[in-house]
């Protein structure tokens, strides 16, 4: 770094003892080696020069952007007694500290403590200081000093973003379930005897509250704009659902909790089709429900995979979902978990209308929305892969939107990487519906050759064999 780019820094200190002077010299040397243009009397005060004038000019010089006060017991006493050169310097420094609003030119560096307390001049008050007096914390606090000198704080205040969609008056929704959520979450975490009832109450409130997010067409707005606003406004409620599922996966030892989650998911399915009271509708009118219900189901599976609740996942994937109201294109009856995937046509229309040039707006939204969920996006992709493989094995269709982002993955997802252990693979393979590695290999053959059943986004796809780490499965006990 050139001198022109280096911050100019003056060190104010007391000639307390020879050892202290050596300590200050070492600090100054370390700062210069770190790109700081240090001014020190031992280097820059020439024979015959006025030491008081030199010190005063360094404190008041506008080209000197930083001043550190190396404060030990002697420095603090001289500053408080206004004695000697230190007293003169600190009179000037204290005035500068009080007259400037920014107060970012001066900082105290602690070189000594007395009875565990930092030795500081009285005028410095309760301002922040940097403690270099303890050897075990020196490296960490020296980095803090450098960050202060170069104005590169460790924690940078982020830019203010746009108003979240769910706070907008035009899009705000209220499921009326937040109080029930807090009761259920606390009951599950504390293992309270009424936890099962509290979870039921919350799930019922969410299911019934879904009616409140039905989109009412506004003539002055594009429907796809309404759709995106609607699903964005749902994020806080999605996060509540995910948070409760995480708590159940971590804390719950209550019986029938898997069944309660199954019944909750089942209760959402009627929303993907026309209810009896609506006679005029378009296919896309229920696309917000299709997106949200798919997302919720994906998160439930992702959470249970993360916490290795494989029996719970097996129950959710193998138990049919009964729909007694008009749904699934007017059909009623029992359906597999594939009922939680429905094509959201409005998102493709939006991408075309706005010339977004995206391969899958659904995949983009799932990825962007994962940032506030508490789950890593890789965990969603892992869940999508399990659902896709299981669906293929069962002869059903599950379209794994998130795996668009796995097209350049070069290694297996976590549960498959762990399945290098045969014992672990034995617990994972029922999720896919295969009996052994050989049967999984036969399944993977469906994705090779000209008759490949792999989903595609134009020329992009993913490699299931890589994502399951097939070659390494079961190679260890």
């Amino acid at each position: 770094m050139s001198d022109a780019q280096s911050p100019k820094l003056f060190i104010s200190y007391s000639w307390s003892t020879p050892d202290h002077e050596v300590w200050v010299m070492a600090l100054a040397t370390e700062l210069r080696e770190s790109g700081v243009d240090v001014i020190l009397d031992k280097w820059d005060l020439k024979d015959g020069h006025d030491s008081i004038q030199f010190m005063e000019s360094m404190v008041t010089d506008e080209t000197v952007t930083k001043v550190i006060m190396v404060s030990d017991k002697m420095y603090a006493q001289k500053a408080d007694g206004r004695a000697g050169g230190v007293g003169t310097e600190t009179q000037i420094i204290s005035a500068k500290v009080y007259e400037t609003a920014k107060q970012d030119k001066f900082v105290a560096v602690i070189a000594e403590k007395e009875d565990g307390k930092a030795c500081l001049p009285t005028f410095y008050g309760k301002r922040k200081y940097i403690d270099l007096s303890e050897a075990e914390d020196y490296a960490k606090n020296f980095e803090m000093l450098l960050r202060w000198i170069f104005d590169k704080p460790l924690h940078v205040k982020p830019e203010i973003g746009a108003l979240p969609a769910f706070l907008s008056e035009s899009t705000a929704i209220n499921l009326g379930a937040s109080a029930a959520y807090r009761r259920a979450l606390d009951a599950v975490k504390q293992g309270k005897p009424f936890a099962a009832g509290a979870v039921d109450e919350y799930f019922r409130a969410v299911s019934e509250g879904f009616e409140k997010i039905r989109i009412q067409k506004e003539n002055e707005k594009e429907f796809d704009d309404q759709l995106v606003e609607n699903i964005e406004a749902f994020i806080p409620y999605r996060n509540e659902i995910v948070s409760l599922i995480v708590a159940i996966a971590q804390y719950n030892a209550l019986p029938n909790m898997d069944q309660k989650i199954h019944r909750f998911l089942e209760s959402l399915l009627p929303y993907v089709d026309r209810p009896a009271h609506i006679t005029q509708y378009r296919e896309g009118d229920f696309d917000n429900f299709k997106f949200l219900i798919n997302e919720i189901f994906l998160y439930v599976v992702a959470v249970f995979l993360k916490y290795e609740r494989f029996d719970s996942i097996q129950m959710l994937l193998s138990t049919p979902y009964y729909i007694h109201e008009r749904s699934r294109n007017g059909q009623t009856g029992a359906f597999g978990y594939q009922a939680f995937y429905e094509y959201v046509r409005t998102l493709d229309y939006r991408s075309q209308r706005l010339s977004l040039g995206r391969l899958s707006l659904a995949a983009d939204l799932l990825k962007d929305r994962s940032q506030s969920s508490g789950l890593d996006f890789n965990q969603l992709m892992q869940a999508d892969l399990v659902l896709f493989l299981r669906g293929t094995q069962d002869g059903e269709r599950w379209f794994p939107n998130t795996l668009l982002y796995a097209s350049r993955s070069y290694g297996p997802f976590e549960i498959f990487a762990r399945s290098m252990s045969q014992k672990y693979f034995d617990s994972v393979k029922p999720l896919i519906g295969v009996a052994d590695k050989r049967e999984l290999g036969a399944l993977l053959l469906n994705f090779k050759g000209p008759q490949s059943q792999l989903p595609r986004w134009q020329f992009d796809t993913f490699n299931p064999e890589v994502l399951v780490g097939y070659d390494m499965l079961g190679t260890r006990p």
Side-chain angles (χ1 to χ4, degrees), residues 209-421:
F210 251 56
E211 185 59 38
K212 298 178 181 179
I213 65 173
R214 192 176 295 282
I215 298 177
Q216 304 298 322
K217 184 72 178 75
E218 299 176 30
N219 292 330
E220 69 278 8
K221 295 184 79 170
E222 290 283 351
F223 182 76
D224 60 286
D225 287 338
Q226 283 189 260
L227 174 77
V228 171
E229 290 174 359
N230 182 275
I231 62 177
E232 288 298 292
F234 191 77
I235 285 178
Y237 306 104
R238 189 235 21 217
N239 289 349
E240 286 182 355
I241 295 168
V242 172
S243 179
L244 181 59
I245 298 298
V246 167
I248 290 171
Q250 286 184 298
Y251 298 95
N252 175 57
L254 295 172
N256 302 322
M257 194 57 74
D258 295 342
Q259 185 182 50
K260 293 180 185 299
I261 294 171
H262 180 279
R263 297 296 187 267
F264 163 62
L265 294 168
E266 184 178 74
S267 72
L268 302 180
L269 285 174
Y271 286 99
V272 302
D273 204 349
R274 175 180 71 85
H277 67 277
I278 293 181
T279 56
Q280 293 185 334
Y281 67 97
R282 298 172 304 172
E283 181 184 354
D285 286 353
F286 318 114
D287 276 1
N288 61 325
F289 293 123
K290 292 175 183 178
F291 179 90
L292 293 173
I293 291 169
N294 171 262
E295 184 181 46
I296 290 169
F297 184 78
L298 189 60
Y299 270 95
V300 171
V301 175
V303 168
F304 282 157
L305 284 174
K306 177 181 178 180
Y307 293 100
E308 299 177 317
R309 294 288 299 271
F310 299 145
D311 289 345
S312 298
I313 299 172
Q314 181 67 357
M315 184 270 183
L316 294 176
L317 301 190
S318 61
T319 306
Y321 295 83
Y322 177 68
I323 307 175
H324 58 85
E325 299 177 30
R326 176 186 174 87
S327 189
R328 296 290 290 179
N329 300 316
Q331 302 176 53
T332 59
F335 300 89
Y337 73 84
Q338 295 80 12
F340 292 96
Y341 174 77
E342 292 273 0
Y343 172 51
V344 183
R345 186 178 301 278
T346 303
L347 292 179
D348 283 348
Y349 166 77
R350 177 177 181 79
S351 185
Q352 295 167 10
R353 180 178 74 85
L354 299 177
S355 300
L356 299 178
R358 306 303 300 170
L359 294 177
S360 171
L361 195 52
D364 295 345
L365 286 171
L366 286 167
K367 186 175 190 298
D368 292 344
R369 290 159 63 84
S370 70
Q371 296 177 15
S372 66
S373 70
L375 258 68
D376 187 87
F377 185 64
N378 277 333
Q379 292 162 345
L380 285 188
M381 290 196 290
Q382 176 175 257
D384 242 351
L385 179 62
V386 168
L387 294 170
F388 170 70
L389 293 175
R390 174 66 172 260
T392 304
Q393 180 70 356
D394 290 348
E396 299 285 350
R397 182 173 181 271
W398 178 271
F399 194 88
N401 280 309
T402 65
L403 294 186
L404 166 62
Y405 285 94
S407 61
R408 291 173 178 80
S409 295
Y410 301 104
F413 289 126
E414 182 177 352
I415 62 167
F416 297 106
R418 294 184 186 279
S419 291
M420 179 186 295
S421 159

Side-chain angles (χ1 to χ4, degrees), residues 54-80:
F54 169 76
M55 295 172 185
E56 182 177 350
S57 67
M58 289 300 100
V59 173
T60 57
D61 188 343
E62 291 185 359
T63 67
V64 177
T65 56
K66 300 289 182 180
V67 175
I68 61 174
M69 298 166 283
V70 177
S71 187
D72 61 350
K73 184 177 179 180
M74 182 70 72
Y75 187 95
Q77 289 174 349
K78 287 184 176 181
D80 289 345

Side-chain angles (χ1 to χ4, degrees), residues 2 12 19 50 60 79 134 169 191 216 246 274 301 376 432 466:
S2 69
S12 171
D19 285 346
D50 187 328
T60 57
E134 306 288 347
E169 290 184 7
Q216 304 298 322
V246 167
R274 175 180 71 85
V301 175
D376 187 87
I432 305 169
V466 169

